[in-house]
Amino acid sequence: MTKYKLNNNVRSSSEVTLTSYLSGSMERKDNVFLQLSPNESKCNVCPNSCYTDHTLSLDKNTKFGLNELKVENLERDVCLCEKFNGGCKVCPSPSPAPTLTINLEGAQKECLSCHGTSLYHNSNNSYPGPGYSEKNNWRRELSKQAKSCCSKKTLLRRFPIISWLPSYSFRNGIADAIAGLTVGLTVIPQAIAYAGVAGLPPQYGLYSSFMACFVYTVFGSVKDSAIGPTAIAAILTRENLHGLGPEFAVLLAFLSGCVELVMGILQLGFLIDFISGPVSVGFTSAAAIIIATTQVKDILGLSFPGGKFLQVWSGIYEHIGETRLWDTVLGLSCIIVLLLLRKVKDIKISDSSDNTSEVAGIEETVGSSSKVRAGASQALWFLSTTRNILVVLLCSALAYYFDTRNQVPFMLTGTVKPGLPEFSPPPFSATVGNHTYTFMEMTSTLGSAIFVVPLLSILENIALAKVFSEGKRVDATQEMIALGVCNIVSSVVDSMPVSGALSRGAVNHASGVATPAGGVYTGVLVLLALQYFTPYFYYIPKASLAAVIIAAVVFMMELHVFKPIWRTKKMDIIPAVVTFATCLLARLELGIVAGIAVNLLFLLYASARPSVRVCRAVSTDGVPYILATVDRALSFPSAEFVRRALRKAPSDAPLVLDAHHVQAADFTAAKGIKSLIDDFHARGQTIIFYNVKPSIAHGNEAVLIRSCSSKCVSKTGNINPCDII
């Protein structure tokens, strides 16, 4: 029989200190499964087995887990059996170092936490002593959860306005007013244009632009986020309305808000992690191209049905002879002007007095010149920021001038319903033509949009929050809750789905917004526009609105990212290209699903083909062995692959399987391990499972238990006959 003793000193992955003790016959080689031998006694606090032969001394700097065990002047109230990482600090069973043992030396005093009578004695008050009644466990946990939900910390986290409102100052109010009004001047033309992108009357864009601003002031945690209609939400709404009317868009906003709120309450934000960077790039770029494509027909002055990429270009090809000259000229001119005005804010104004240090009174000259230069920079920035409203107003004035002369060279927006929307519940039924849709029929028609729209809205809003968080932690749960409440409340005023817009967030940030209260001023400005200025929206040329959209979404196309993706990992190009092509040629939500599916296939392939490294090694005592290392978890796709790889290992020395990187194994992998043991028995070669996690060993017990002559290495290094576990 061959016996092995394991020395648990620090070692490299290519070296295992293995000492061979030879006694008796070596004709039959036995498998050894490294596992600690538990004592019969159980820990009074945690369910793990304790050991009686602790031999490792502890000093005051030794740390196990979260807390520090102190030997010198040990406090009797500190429990030495606190559960951490699946086991006891005193009981080293689950430790990555399986031969670790503990000697308390001078701390052999009785632990009051284990043997006392009070309910909680351990240092973190999370594990009860023997006097605790198990039947009251669920009640205590429920009470603890209820108290945490009603705590001041939770209240401040769920209603951020409580934290900043008491310290709100006049200076903050001025900053928020300037930022809010600036964003309002940006959102009004964008909202009218996004309503056209969504296939809705223009007033619905304005309906979507004020209520969410008020709600986000109470629930929002990011001061720079500007909630309202966005290009992506608009194009997703258009693709799922199927031309059935605004009622479906309003219901979609309500259902999206419900989904977002539930995701926030259940903390399901991890679902966004399944949308990888390449998939997001492919989707955003395709969405930008589709949005720009839908506006090309307005630039050319064409009118025909269809909003998909191929439909629009096919329609343009068929109706190209109907192009309106002045709409085309106006649209192209607006795009050029908007792109130029976008760069105006980057102009550097030089000071001619910088080199006149010898002139008398230079300090006064430099001071006045600096003020002028600062004022000119602010004026250029304001001109660049308000470029959308300025271009729309100029074009509207031009259209009004031609209208007074009974000329209509441009296609106009037309009548916009004046006044504020009515407060009413979202429509749970709708009549289109001669057919009345019930709630179930409406939800069936919206289909996957009920989940795709909120998911992408959350992704867009959290991405915006991270951009302007300035390194601070973003509370994704709170942002999901805030976005959900915004959509639910906005649906009461006939809003389409809303989210945080990156372009308006950049304007908000550049304007120096101090708190989320900046949204109040934006909402008030939109309400004033609805109440008093809607008759003037009649003269807005469609070509100018199309130019606003194209000039905005052209910077959403992230085609330049494909090059660094190719340099980083060429395989990531595949999900990006699949997402991009599917979004363009089919539907946006199908593109997202296709990209996620490709990424999951890559993950499954990586799981099915772990890296198995096999090399020869010699222990410090001169014992040769074969070292095999598996670099990831063992699951059903990889079980047979690992088995085949290990069977190809040389058979002239014991095989040591280092499972240090194996964090989990399922039932199929356990059966594979059993088959692997049988294979090595058949070929007469010893196999040693080393660094096996106790959770894996216990989980495999049901499959691997069988009476045999295999050995179990205890922490003392002695070989004790036992069943394989």
Side-chain angles (χ1 to χ4, degrees), residues 495-529:
S495 168
M496 64 181 186
V498 296
S499 181
L502 184 59
S503 59
R504 297 196 297 273
V507 173
N508 220 1
H509 181 77
S511 302
V513 67
T515 66
V520 173
Y521 300 94
T522 301
V524 169
L525 187 60
V526 174
L527 288 175
L528 292 175

Side-chain angles (χ1 to χ4, degrees), residues 382-394:
F382 185 78
L383 179 65
S384 176
T385 301
T386 59
R387 60 188 180 275
N388 292 333
I389 192 68
L390 292 177
V391 167
V392 170
L393 288 176
L394 182 61

Side-chain angles (χ1 to χ4, degrees), residues 274-452:
F274 287 94
I275 303 178
S276 65
V279 172
S280 179
V281 168
F283 168 78
T284 305
S285 301
I289 292 176
I290 294 174
I291 294 169
T293 297
T294 59
Q295 303 305 305
V296 170
K297 60 181 182 180
D298 288 334
I299 292 289
L300 300 178
L302 302 178
S303 180
F304 54 84
K308 294 184 179 180
F309 180 76
L310 296 179
Q311 288 179 340
V312 172
W313 286 111
S314 176
I316 292 174
Y317 177 77
E318 295 175 358
H319 299 84
I320 193 65
E322 304 171 9
T323 301
R324 296 167 60 98
L325 175 61
W326 294 113
D327 281 290
T328 305
V329 172
L330 180 66
L332 295 178
S333 300
C334 289
I335 292 175
I336 295 173
V337 171
L338 287 169
L339 294 179
L340 291 177
L341 289 178
R342 182 185 178 92
K343 293 296 183 181
V344 164
K345 66 178 183 298
D346 299 327
I347 296 177
K348 303 297 182 181
I349 301 177
S350 60
D351 190 355
S352 59
S353 63
D354 288 343
N355 297 324
T356 58
S357 58
E358 298 179 0
V359 181
I362 187 61
E363 294 182 359
E364 295 181 2
T365 305
V366 170
S368 61
S369 178
S370 299
K371 293 180 180 179
V372 172
R373 184 171 53 179
S377 298
Q378 289 293 329
L380 291 177
W381 173 83
F382 185 78
L383 179 65
S384 176
T385 301
T386 59
R387 60 188 180 275
N388 292 333
I389 192 68
L390 292 177
V391 167
V392 170
L393 288 176
L394 182 61
C395 293
S396 300
L398 186 62
Y400 178 77
Y401 170 77
F402 282 112
D403 184 69
T404 59
R405 294 178 175 270
N406 296 322
Q407 297 178 7
V408 187
F410 314 122
M411 294 178 60
L412 304 181
T413 299
T415 304
V416 178
K417 183 180 178 181
L420 302 178
E422 296 181 358
F423 285 80
S424 60
F428 296 110
S429 63
T431 301
V432 180
N434 296 325
H435 181 71
T436 299
Y437 288 83
T438 63
F439 175 73
M440 295 304 298
E441 290 177 328
M442 294 178 72
T443 55
S444 177
T445 301
L446 293 174
S448 60
I450 297 174
F451 302 99
V452 174

Side-chain angles (χ1 to χ4, degrees), residues 4 18-20 617-625 654:
Y4 296 97
L18 193 63
T19 305
S20 176
V618 179
S619 71
T620 55
D621 297 298
V623 178
Y625 61 94

Side-chain angles (χ1 to χ4, degrees), residues 572-613:
D572 284 342
I573 287 291
I574 297 178
V577 172
V578 169
T579 304
F580 182 79
T582 308
C583 288
L584 281 183
L585 303 179
R587 295 171 60 87
L588 288 171
E589 57 267 32
L590 291 180
I592 286 286
V593 173
I596 294 175
V598 172
N599 270 335
L600 291 180
L601 287 177
F602 286 167
L603 292 176
L604 290 176
Y605 181 81
S607 175
R609 294 295 180 266
S611 174
V612 182
R613 296 190 300 271

Side-chain angles (χ1 to χ4, degrees), residues 39 62 108 122 137 152 237 267 269 304 310 314 354 357 424 426 485 497 519 526 535 541 574 584 587 619 632 642 720:
N39 193 6
T62 304
Q108 295 286 354
N122 44 356
N137 187 22
K152 180 180 178 181
T237 301
Q267 299 185 0
F304 54 84
L310 296 179
S314 176
D354 288 343
S357 58
S424 60
V485 177
V526 174
I574 297 178
L584 281 183
R587 295 171 60 87
S619 71
R632 67 195 66 176
V642 173
N720 300 321

